[in-house]
Amino acid sequence: MAISNELSSDVAVAILAQKRSPQELKRLKVIILEVHSALQKMSEETRAFHLKKKSQGGSKGTNA
């Protein structure tokens, strides 16, 4: 599972853990989806960066 999915799930659980009105839940749903989309985009950009770096020869010793 991608880190964006894991973090999105953790955020959703934390936000939705308390009882809320239907109106609040609708607003929170939008926020959760925006957080997920942002994290997913960051994951995709990071993956593309690493693929580009690897295709250009990359570095021999990584710190990761």
Side-chain angles (χ1 to χ4, degrees), residues 1-55:
M1 180 186 294
I3 215 163
S4 61
N5 291 339
E6 291 181 40
L7 288 173
S8 295
S9 296
D10 291 345
V11 168
V13 168
I15 289 174
L16 299 174
Q18 300 176 9
K19 290 191 177 194
R20 302 190 186 268
S21 70
Q23 294 82 10
E24 287 179 299
L25 291 173
K26 285 181 183 179
R27 287 194 304 266
L28 291 172
K29 177 184 169 185
V30 171
I31 293 168
I32 291 168
L33 290 173
E34 287 177 6
V35 167
H36 175 73
S37 295
L39 291 170
Q40 194 170 32
K41 182 179 177 187
M42 289 169 52
S43 293
E44 291 168 359
E45 289 171 351
T46 300
R47 190 177 308 118
F49 172 79
H50 287 292
L51 286 173
K52 182 178 178 183
K53 186 176 177 182
K54 189 174 183 179
S55 70

